């Protein structure tokens, strides 16, 4: 029931051109993932669920308020007609809060840290789709300066925030914030690049989360002991992390390359430079993970317990598929 409602909410938002229907889809989406988040009854999971619920409810209320304001002034409820600047600014603020764009990002690392890895995967991929669809539909009515600010702040904060972390889920949350910034920065010039970046982000994040699930690692220290258990997985994981960082010849280079090219084409060299430097910040903490996984042999007195070679119950096909997609899609360009 919960998973089908999760799908239904997003699909409803996709299919709607009316603000009330879109709002309803977002609400169904939120209500469906909340039991999935709290199902382990861990205090951290309950805390994360509460934080998530409060932020999403606030954002949904803001969307409802903004669309009502717009309908009150213009008499139209359809999305491609948000002519009122106050309403459009409120809508983008609420949607940014929903997907965790900086400076509305503070809930994202906290919430992701409290969840188990599969729910975290759903939160950082599937839950981004509906709000991003709304952002793409209303992008033309939004002040370009605001979009640029959101995008730049998100990439910078997503880079800086992850530098000091040891928890893998927080690192992935900051990586998610940075990737969202890349999507938003190019939105007003080439929306198709936003969709491309989203698709590549979903592949790479799925590969990362499923790998961590396979080795049940949640801290950097645990990663150092994975190589003895599954050496090939360790190799592909290092490549997936570099792909997330955006190194050629891996998939993660595709959106960065095309977005920087588009920004340069729109004669925005300064913004393109800042984005490229922010990508270096993100690359640093991916490299830290790679270093811990593949370039160090952990000492014998490990702080984390040595992983036993237990039979895993996880299906390996999704992991294999996501990894291949995260490593080999550069020729698509």
């Amino acid at each position: 029931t919960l998973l089908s409602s999760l799908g239904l909410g997003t699909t409803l938002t996709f299919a709607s051109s009316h603000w009330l229907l879109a709002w309803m889809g977002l609400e169904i989406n939120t209500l469906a993932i909340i039991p999935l988040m709290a199902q382990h009854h861990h205090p951290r999971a309950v805390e994360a669920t509460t934080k998530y619920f409060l932020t999403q409810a606030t954002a949904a209320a803001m969307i409802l308020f903004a669309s009502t304001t717009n309908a009150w002034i213009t008499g139209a409820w359809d999305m491609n007609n948000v002519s009122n600047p106050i309403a459009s600014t409120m809508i983008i603020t609420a949607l940014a809060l929903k997907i965790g764009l900086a400076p509305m990002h503070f809930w994202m690392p906290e919430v992701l840290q409290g969840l188990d890895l599969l729910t975290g995967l759903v939160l950082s991929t599937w839950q981004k789709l509906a709000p991003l669809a709304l952002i793409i539909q209303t992008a033309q009515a939004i002040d370009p300066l605001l979009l640029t600010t959101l995008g730049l702040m998100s990439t910078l904060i997503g880079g800086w925030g992850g530098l000091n972390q040891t928890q893998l889920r927080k690192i992935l949350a900051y990586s998610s914030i940075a990737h969202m910034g890349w999507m938003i920065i190019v939105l007003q010039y080439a929306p198709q690049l936003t969709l491309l970046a989203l698709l590549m982000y979903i592949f790479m994040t799925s590969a990362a989360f499923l790998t961590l699930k396979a080795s049940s690692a949640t801290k950097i220290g645990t990663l150092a002991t994975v190589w003895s258990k599954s050496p090939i997985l360790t190799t592909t994981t290092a490549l997936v992390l570099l792909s997330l960082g955006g190194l050629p010849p891996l998939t993660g280079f595709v959106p960065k390359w095309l977005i920087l090219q588009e920004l340069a084409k729109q004669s925005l060299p300064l913004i393109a430079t800042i984005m490229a430097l922010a990508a270096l910040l993100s690359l640093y903490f991916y490299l830290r993970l790679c270093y811990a996984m593949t370039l160090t042999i952990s000492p014998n007195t490990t702080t984390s317990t040595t992983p036993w070679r237990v039979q895993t119950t996880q299906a390996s096909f999704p992991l294999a598929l996501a990894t291949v997609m995260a490593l080999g899609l550069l020729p698509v360009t």
Side-chain angles (χ1 to χ4, degrees):
T1 308
L2 296 173
L3 286 173
S4 55
S5 299
L6 202 62
L8 172 76
T10 304
T11 318
L12 200 59
T13 309
F14 281 170
S16 65
S17 58
H18 188 288
W19 275 115
L20 269 182
L21 200 60
W23 168 80
M24 206 161 78
L26 291 172
E27 283 291 280
I28 292 174
N29 212 337
T30 307
L31 289 177
I33 199 172
I34 279 174
L36 292 175
M37 291 166 83
Q39 65 185 341
H40 291 293
H41 301 298
H42 190 277
R44 292 291 81 75
V46 176
E47 180 190 348
T49 311
T50 313
K51 286 178 181 170
Y52 183 75
F53 171 71
L54 290 173
T55 49
Q56 300 296 308
T58 310
M62 273 180 75
I63 290 171
L64 198 56
F65 180 52
S67 50
T68 314
T69 310
N70 186 57
W72 190 27
I73 293 173
T74 62
W77 277 96
D78 50 334
M79 273 175 209
N80 45 23
N81 191 9
V82 188
S83 51
N84 186 28
I86 303 175
S88 67
T89 308
M90 278 183 59
I91 282 168
I92 186 67
T93 312
L95 290 169
L97 178 61
K98 267 205 176 292
I99 60 171
L101 283 170
M104 282 77 81
H105 67 284
F106 291 98
W107 60 271
M108 180 88 192
E110 305 288 331
V111 167
L112 208 58
Q113 180 54 38
L115 307 179
D116 67 309
L117 291 164
L118 284 180
T119 320
L121 170 64
V122 172
L123 181 69
S124 42
T125 55
W126 183 254
Q127 290 298 90
K128 304 274 190 243
L129 295 177
L132 261 169
L134 296 183
I135 290 179
I136 290 171
Q137 284 184 64
T138 53
Q140 301 314 315
I142 298 163
D143 181 21
L145 183 65
L146 181 62
L147 277 179
T148 310
T149 313
L150 282 173
L152 276 177
M153 277 194 73
S154 298
T155 40
L156 284 167
I157 288 179
W160 260 311
L163 292 182
N164 207 15
Q165 302 293 339
T166 56
Q167 298 283 347
L168 296 178
R169 285 166 293 187
K170 281 197 177 177
I171 287 182
L172 282 166
Y174 280 110
S175 127
S176 165
I177 294 167
H179 279 277
M180 289 294 143
W182 279 91
M183 287 171 219
I184 295 300
I185 197 88
V186 79
L187 179 59
Q188 48 197 329
Y189 311 112
Q192 65 273 24
L193 283 187
T194 302
L195 284 175
L196 177 79
L198 176 66
L199 192 67
M200 300 304 180
Y201 161 75
I202 285 178
F203 283 142
M204 296 183 293
T205 310
S206 307
F209 267 106
L210 290 170
T211 308
L212 297 180
K213 178 81 173 60
S215 54
S216 63
T218 54
K219 290 194 290 293
I220 290 187
T222 322
L223 286 181
T225 55
V226 173
W227 64 273
S228 61
K229 183 180 164 191
S230 42
I232 298 175
L233 186 64
T234 310
T235 316
T236 55
T237 309
L239 288 172
V240 164
L241 287 166
L242 292 178
S243 179
L244 267 167
L247 289 188
L250 305 163
T251 304
F253 183 54
V254 177
K256 290 203 173 21
W257 178 17
L258 293 175
I259 287 171
L260 287 176
Q261 183 185 343
E262 180 65 34
L263 288 174
K265 202 195 300 179
Q266 299 286 349
S267 63
L268 299 166
L270 184 63
I271 291 178
T273 311
I274 297 174
M275 294 294 282
L277 293 175
L280 285 178
L281 286 171
S282 300
L283 185 62
Y284 176 76
F285 58 80
Y286 297 126
L287 279 174
R288 266 178 71 204
L289 294 185
C290 288
Y291 180 78
M293 280 195 84
T294 56
L295 297 174
T296 55
I297 288 185
S298 68
N300 292 329
T301 54
T302 48
T303 48
S304 58
T305 54
T306 310
W308 289 96
R309 293 173 179 272
V310 286
Q311 191 65 40
T312 174
T313 55
Q314 184 187 343
S316 55
F317 178 68
L319 173 58
L321 185 68
T323 305
V324 169
M325 290 296 195
L327 299 186
L329 281 186
L330 186 70
V332 169
T333 49

